[in-house]
Amino acid sequence: MTVTATATKAPERPAHRDANVLRWLGAYTASMIGDSVYYMALAWAAARTGDPTQTGLVLAAGSIPRAVLMLGGGVLADRLGPRRVVIGSDAARCLVVLGLAGVLLLTSPALWMLIAVALVFGVVDALFLPAVGALPPRITAAGQLARVQGMRGLATRTANVVGAPLGGVAVALGGPTLAFAAAGVLFAVSLPLLLSLRISPLPEQEGAERSGTAWHDLADGLRHIRRHPLLGPLMLVVAVSELGFAGPLNLGMIMLARERDWGASGMGWVIAAFGIGAGASALLLAVRGRVPRAGLVMCLTVLLGSVAIGALAYAPSVALAVAVACCVGLFAGLGGSLLGALVQTVTDPAYLGRVTSVSTLFTHAIAPLSYPVTGAAVAMWGTGPVFVASAAVCASGAVTGLAITGLRRAELPR
């Protein structure tokens, strides 16, 4: 496979008018929708095949290789290039789910079969997530990274809105077989778009050969984060704020709705409001393209989002909870997008995969460990104190960022 490279710096054109970025966005959107359809099909097939415990086992199986191999995925993205890894990941997912759909035409799904597919997807996710995060700086100019983060956020929200209903329709019409086939087709749609991407070369690697083992590369990437004046603080903000956000906005919302007798519809409105707020923040970045004093704004928006999380547990009605959840999505979404843009801007390009793998490890592997703690705490003290404690944890990450002068004064390129 050859990589089309440009010998000059990417043109400083708005990302939403750059055909190269739009091809990447189309591929990313198709892949994310395919992911949502796949998880819907997997959950339905597992529920029809086994009991609730076995269903939970199938859905949790992919998290193990994802957590164990995530840092290795970052090393691979830096060694092979993020485009190649993303193409390989989507191709593997396409073949696996289409193969499963073909098998289900001949036989009923078995529990071992679903677990095996979930494990494969977990491995592929460990490779895909660091690579897809390292790709934007290779397809556009540095000054467009905030806008690209906004466009990526919009694509993620679109996938959340479209993917689950599409998977449900596919299951209703043809069962898990049709849903898995639809997911495979969506993964296939991303491949020609990814193959046509123009990738800028890394100046640090032009004419040079990489030496050392994969373990050496991983250790080198961790040293790069530790010694960098901004990356270390940024990773700290990611880790602490995600620990505060993850529990309340996932497991905690279910318990809050049950405690307040909001019902499934009430909880649905609150979760939808969060998505609307996050989508609005993504749209703001996609349109504006740059936010002055990005480091300061990032910390302040995370802090405001933390306050909104604490207030959410004390909303006396569904309507007020919807308004507060919208604020949580708006502030948390803007803070997260700015954080991602800052990471991509300040990281040495040769380390982007490894740095992205560390931040992704916190968001997709370590933060979910707070779920059982959140559940046990709610059972002991109720939702109010737990939401406030989680908000305090999240706020401590923002306050730490504000206390670090370099991070507080960090700017995105013009």
Side-chain angles (χ1 to χ4, degrees), residues 39-125:
Y39 280 110
M40 171 66 74
L42 185 70
W44 184 266
R48 295 291 298 271
T49 303
D51 58 33
T53 300
Q54 292 171 327
T55 300
L57 178 62
V58 170
L59 297 181
S63 63
I64 299 171
R66 187 185 304 122
V68 172
L69 300 175
M70 186 74 71
L71 296 180
V75 172
L76 193 65
D78 285 335
R79 282 193 162 224
L80 301 181
R83 173 178 174 268
R84 288 174 175 166
V85 176
V86 171
I87 290 172
S89 299
D90 272 353
R93 291 197 281 192
C94 175
L95 292 174
V96 168
V97 294
L98 288 180
L100 179 59
V103 170
L104 294 183
L105 287 174
L106 305 175
T107 183
S108 299
L111 193 66
W112 68 266
M113 187 188 306
L114 299 178
I115 291 175
V117 170
L119 289 172
V120 171
F121 259 70
V123 173
V124 173
D125 280 347

Side-chain angles (χ1 to χ4, degrees), residues 139-221:
I139 62 174
T140 190
Q144 295 298 314
L145 286 176
R147 177 172 276 128
V148 169
Q149 286 296 311
M151 295 166 69
R152 181 181 176 184
L154 286 174
T156 300
R157 296 300 159 188
T158 300
N160 292 340
V161 171
V162 174
L166 181 61
V169 170
V171 167
L173 293 177
T177 302
L178 180 59
F180 282 124
V185 170
L186 285 163
F187 291 133
V189 167
S190 73
L191 295 176
L193 295 171
L194 291 169
L195 288 167
S196 65
L197 284 182
R198 300 188 310 274
I199 303 296
S200 299
L202 296 181
E204 293 80 3
Q205 293 181 339
E206 289 179 349
E209 293 185 3
R210 182 178 294 276
S211 59
T213 63
W215 180 257
H216 175 272
D217 287 349
L218 175 57
D220 189 33

Side-chain angles (χ1 to χ4, degrees), residues 23-408:
R23 285 193 292 269
W24 165 81
L25 185 66
Y28 179 76
T29 304
S31 182
M32 289 297 98
I33 295 175
D35 228 20
S36 295
V37 174
Y38 156 76
Y39 280 110
M40 171 66 74
L42 185 70
W44 184 266
R48 295 291 298 271
T49 303
D51 58 33
T53 300
Q54 292 171 327
T55 300
L57 178 62
V58 170
L59 297 181
S63 63
I64 299 171
R66 187 185 304 122
V68 172
L69 300 175
M70 186 74 71
L71 296 180
V75 172
L76 193 65
D78 285 335
R79 282 193 162 224
L80 301 181
R83 173 178 174 268
R84 288 174 175 166
V85 176
V86 171
I87 290 172
S89 299
D90 272 353
R93 291 197 281 192
C94 175
L95 292 174
V96 168
V97 294
L98 288 180
L100 179 59
V103 170
L104 294 183
L105 287 174
L106 305 175
T107 183
S108 299
L111 193 66
W112 68 266
M113 187 188 306
L114 299 178
I115 291 175
V117 170
L119 289 172
V120 171
F121 259 70
V123 173
V124 173
D125 280 347
L127 306 180
F128 175 83
L129 292 170
V132 80
L135 198 52
R138 304 286 298 275
I139 62 174
T140 190
Q144 295 298 314
L145 286 176
R147 177 172 276 128
V148 169
Q149 286 296 311
M151 295 166 69
R152 181 181 176 184
L154 286 174
T156 300
R157 296 300 159 188
T158 300
N160 292 340
V161 171
V162 174
L166 181 61
V169 170
V171 167
L173 293 177
T177 302
L178 180 59
F180 282 124
V185 170
L186 285 163
F187 291 133
V189 167
S190 73
L191 295 176
L193 295 171
L194 291 169
L195 288 167
S196 65
L197 284 182
R198 300 188 310 274
I199 303 296
S200 299
L202 296 181
E204 293 80 3
Q205 293 181 339
E206 289 179 349
E209 293 185 3
R210 182 178 294 276
S211 59
T213 63
W215 180 257
H216 175 272
D217 287 349
L218 175 57
D220 189 33
L222 296 177
R223 281 194 299 269
H224 178 68
I225 294 174
R226 179 170 55 86
R227 295 172 179 174
H228 197 283
L230 286 181
L231 284 177
L234 283 168
M235 293 301 111
L236 181 61
V237 173
V238 170
V240 177
S241 61
E242 282 292 335
L243 281 175
F245 272 121
L249 295 183
N250 291 278
L251 182 62
M253 277 306 309
I254 299 173
M255 297 183 169
L256 179 62
R258 184 168 54 191
E259 184 179 287
R260 297 297 179 83
D261 291 325
W262 288 345
S265 62
M267 185 181 72
W269 280 110
V270 174
I271 294 175
F274 173 80
I276 291 171
S281 69
L283 181 61
L284 173 66
L285 271 183
V287 172
R288 186 175 178 84
R290 184 179 183 273
V291 175
R293 306 192 71 178
L296 176 62
V297 173
M298 179 205 73
C299 293
L300 290 177
T301 51
V302 171
L303 185 61
L304 290 171
S306 305
V307 173
I309 286 177
L312 186 59
Y314 295 94
S317 66
V318 173
L320 284 176
V322 165
V324 175
C326 190
C327 292
V328 174
L330 178 64
F331 294 129
L334 183 57
S337 294
L338 288 174
L339 194 152
L342 284 169
V343 168
Q344 291 181 341
T345 299
V346 304
T347 302
D348 185 315
Y351 291 91
L352 268 170
R354 282 162 285 180
V355 172
T356 303
S357 72
V358 173
S359 62
T360 308
L361 181 67
F362 288 129
T363 57
H364 285 78
I366 294 179
L369 296 177
S370 65
Y371 296 168
V373 177
T374 300
V378 169
M380 293 177 64
W381 299 301
T383 54
V386 172
F387 270 63
V388 170
S390 297
V393 171
C394 185
S396 67
V399 171
T400 300
L402 289 171
I404 300 173
T405 303
L407 180 54
R408 189 175 66 248

